[in-house]
Amino acid sequence: MRFIQTRGADAAKPQTVTFSEAILSPIASFGGLYVPEKLPELGKEFLEKHLASSYKELASDMLARFAIDIEKSVLDEALALYDKFDTPANPVPVVKVKENLYVSELYHGPTRAFKDMALQPFGVVLSSIAQKRGENYLILAATSGDTGPAALETFKNRANVQVACLYPQGGTSDVQRLQMVTEDAQNLKVIGINGVFDDAQSALKRLLASVEFKAALKEKNILLSAANSVNFGRIIFQIIYHIHSYLELVRQGGIAMGEKVYLNVPSGNFGNALGGYYAWKMGVPVAKIIISSNENNVLTRLITTGKYDLRDSKVLNTTSPAMDILKSSNVERVLFDLFGEARTRELMEDLESKNVYELTKEELAKLRECFDADFATGAEGKRYIKETFEGEGYLMDPHTATCFKAYTTCCDPKIKSIVYSTAEWTKFSPVIANALTGEVDAEDIIALESISKTAKLEIPAMIRALFSKPITQGTVIEKEDIEKEILNFL
Ligand SMILES: *Cc1c(COP(=O)(O)O)cnc(C)c1O
């Protein structure tokens, strides 16, 4: 399998690259992204065959169909990391919450959010490519809370890779911060920044583009890469759980094989939703993909009006912070798939130069054949958390809760829906405690105890342990000092 470019090829970069190359430098010509030349077609036999398979068997076969330049032994080692999930036989439980509504729980990995689904195996793959090439990589990560812990966890003590992880001091939950600052490994550096997430993100982008920084790294024999969610090395692992979730519904007798379902995805950078779109194109029967957002509802507006408009948008801080995003990078891959490289380049250039692009009526109709969208406010989300807990006895996090709004506004209730749950209640406990009992501004540890009592749920051991672990990564600096700090660490 070769990989092609969403904005076409310039003269400098090769027309097509291997999977390894797309992973190591994920930015393609004209600032575009890499996509598979042709998605493998799985067909009904594939789905039938894997009704009896474990998650890993399904994953292994799907990856084989992509024919990427990674040895099977490495992929097997990568998939073995799903054994660390709560229930290794089925790392992604799918729970029936009410008639026709199922929740696929993507958060049973070591850091309790769905980033583990892709980053756990990705760490093995990236480290193995680096070792094979005899190269050393610095992986930069900027996080608003979930990517950082997952990236640190996956790269911890891996050969030929070091990680510098930037987070906004005061901008994450206590649990998220503790997950990072208690990480203890020689190859990891966690840096708190006096600023907001955008400052961390801008610093990361600046470093990735800086010739001087790369030269300074080169002197130390280190190359630069990023583990962000446009990396196809992450996307490929996010197709698998959509196929798995569909098969789970068949196994549970919720649907007959071949019956179409909605995939309802709480979306930020659109990696999760893109995985569902690819699964659909590869043969999973899907009615539509529902894109759920919070008050940062640029995706809702794109899918309902055809306009991606950032002209007077500012990122709002919400109760579902992992979706507080305006530039949803992976949408580009859908544009490419639907409208081709020339049009994608034109649209993305409009967005970069004018902060807006607009689809034609025909294009919007085509997009809407695949997607529908709605957003929920923080107050609505909390109401869904409370109602669903009190009505169905099911506790969910504020990101997942946004899907319950779109479920009522976008879906034909006769068709079964799969809602994707992207975080455990433990990661956003103050919001959930507020939703359940009305208590405000509780620290995480107090909110955790209170939810645990109200919902009769145990606080998982790894979450509880965070509060007594020594802080090994105490660095907090001004954003101007990031580069110096990273070079010092190296
Ligand atoms: C990252 C994240 C999302 C958004 O996922 P995308 O793939 O970026 O759309 C949603 N919920 C949680 C909890 C997350 O960590």
Side-chain angles (χ1 to χ4, degrees):
M1 171 78 71
R2 305 284 300 179
F3 286 75
I4 54 176
Q5 314 176 57
T6 51
R7 302 188 197 178
D10 63 19
K13 290 208 161 71
Q15 294 264 343
T16 69
V17 299
T18 63
F19 178 76
S20 302
E21 288 161 343
I23 282 190
L24 293 176
S25 28
I27 300 304
S29 304
F30 309 112
L33 302 173
Y34 289 105
V35 287
E37 198 162 40
K38 187 173 182 304
L39 287 169
E41 271 171 42
L42 300 178
K44 198 162 170 205
E45 307 84 82
F46 181 94
L47 295 179
E48 298 272 4
K49 170 178 160 198
H50 285 294
L51 270 177
S53 297
S54 68
Y55 191 91
K56 277 197 287 182
E57 287 161 347
L58 164 71
S60 172
D61 194 6
M62 195 221 70
L63 293 170
R65 308 288 170 112
F66 266 92
I68 51 179
D69 61 334
I70 305 292
E71 285 152 38
K72 185 172 179 332
S73 59
V74 173
L75 293 175
D76 287 344
E77 189 193 334
L79 295 175
L81 292 181
Y82 291 126
D83 293 343
K84 291 199 295 190
F85 282 48
D86 295 340
T87 41
N90 179 4
V92 181
V94 179
V95 180
K96 181 172 178 178
V97 170
K98 53 185 176 188
E99 205 48 42
N100 291 350
L101 192 158
Y102 293 75
V103 176
S104 173
E105 298 179 343
L106 303 175
Y107 57 73
H108 289 278
T111 71
R112 320 314 284 168
F114 105 102
K115 301 292 189 287
D116 287 330
M117 290 306 305
L119 277 167
Q120 279 288 308
F122 179 74
V124 174
V125 172
L126 190 116
S127 168
S128 101
I129 298 173
Q131 287 174 66
K132 206 164 155 193
R133 295 178 162 229
E135 292 169 345
N136 295 300
Y137 281 86
L138 169 67
I139 309 288
L140 287 180
T143 186
S144 64
D146 286 337
T147 300
L152 296 167
E153 189 62 32
T154 194
F155 290 117
K156 174 162 79 180
N157 297 322
R158 288 211 185 280
N160 298 50
V161 188
Q162 287 167 287
V163 180
C165 175
L166 311 174
Y167 72 96
Q169 163 74 3
T172 69
S173 75
D174 296 340
V175 165
Q176 290 172 324
R177 181 178 49 82
L178 289 172
Q179 282 179 326
M180 294 186 273
V181 299
T182 59
E183 277 290 12
D184 185 13
Q186 287 293 323
N187 69 329
L188 308 179
K189 179 73 188 175
V190 179
I191 302 174
I193 303 195
N194 286 318
V196 294
F197 171 62
D198 262 349
D199 296 317
Q201 173 111 318
S202 313
L204 176 134
K205 285 189 179 151
R206 204 170 54 238
L207 290 177
L208 284 174
S210 160
V211 177
E212 297 85 56
F213 185 59
K214 278 187 203 141
L217 292 182
K218 198 155 181 224
E219 264 173 41
K220 299 174 190 283
N221 201 18
I222 296 172
L223 296 158
L224 189 58
S225 190
N228 53 19
S229 70
V230 296
N231 199 309
F232 199 84
R234 281 174 61 175
I235 301 293
I236 197 168
F237 291 106
Q238 298 191 64
I239 303 170
I240 301 162
Y241 57 70
H242 290 285
I243 306 174
H244 160 85
S245 301
Y246 183 86
L247 293 177
E248 267 299 300
L249 255 63
V250 178
R251 284 183 201 121
Q252 294 179 17
I255 53 170
M257 179 62 88
E259 196 174 329
K260 288 183 176 176
V261 298
Y262 290 111
L263 309 180
N264 188 336
V265 186
S267 296
N269 233 345
F270 217 79
N272 194 353
L274 179 73
Y277 177 78
Y278 283 158
W280 182 3
K281 296 214 53 173
M282 287 163 64
V284 173
V286 171
K288 229 171 222 190
I289 297 175
I290 309 298
I291 302 302
S292 295
S293 305
N294 59 31
E295 290 94 333
N296 294 294
N297 58 3
V298 56
L299 291 170
T300 310
R301 286 181 284 131
L302 170 69
I303 291 163
T304 52
T305 70
K307 227 183 202 182
Y308 201 109
D309 192 349
L310 300 179
R311 278 173 303 184
D312 24 54
S313 301
K314 260 201 354 236
V315 188
L316 306 168
N317 288 323
T318 72
T319 49
S320 42
M323 309 195 310
D324 292 350
I325 285 178
L326 293 179
K327 286 203 176 152
S328 183
S329 315
N330 278 301
V331 172
E332 178 167 350
R333 288 184 160 116
V334 172
L335 298 179
F336 171 80
D337 196 67
L338 294 175
F339 312 128
E341 67 183 36
R343 182 64 174 147
T344 301
R345 187 173 164 199
E346 191 170 66
L347 293 169
M348 297 315 294
E349 282 176 358
D350 279 352
L351 187 64
E352 274 152 31
S353 63
K354 301 180 209 147
N355 256 335
V356 59
Y357 67 72
E358 184 162 12
L359 303 178
T360 65
K361 242 165 89 194
E362 293 72 39
E363 286 169 341
L364 175 60
K366 226 170 147 185
L367 184 71
R368 289 187 57 83
E369 278 171 25
C370 307
F371 297 96
D372 204 352
D374 202 352
F375 72 100
T377 64
E380 287 172 326
K382 282 192 253 180
R383 209 164 59 231
Y384 285 114
I385 291 174
K386 187 176 167 74
E387 275 174 20
T388 310
F389 176 67
E390 288 172 356
E392 281 78 29
Y394 189 77
L395 188 64
M396 63 187 162
D397 96 294
H399 302 78
T400 312
T402 62
C403 297
F404 280 62
K405 168 81 177 289
Y407 173 72
T408 62
T409 57
C410 300
C411 299
D412 173 350
K414 292 191 293 296
I415 299 177
K416 309 276 192 299
S417 281
I418 302 175
V419 161
Y420 288 89
S421 181
T422 47
E424 187 178 59
W425 60 276
T426 54
K427 286 205 93 167
F428 300 95
S429 57
V431 178
I432 297 171
N434 177 254
L436 294 182
T437 67
E439 69 192 80
V440 286
D441 291 336
E443 284 175 34
D444 280 33
I445 186 66
I446 295 169
L448 285 166
E449 298 284 3
S450 133
I451 298 166
S452 165
K453 216 167 106 213
T454 309
K456 302 196 172 50
L457 287 169
E458 289 272 344
I459 301 173
M462 81 273 259
I463 297 288
R464 191 178 280 288
L466 287 173
F467 293 89
S468 49
K469 265 191 178 172
I471 308 265
T472 47
Q473 303 265 4
T475 308
V476 178
I477 58 173
E478 298 305 320
K479 57 186 187 226
E480 293 74 32
D481 300 329
I482 293 171
E483 181 168 347
K484 202 171 69 200
E485 189 69 38
I486 294 177
L487 289 172
N488 259 343
F489 156 64
L490 298 172

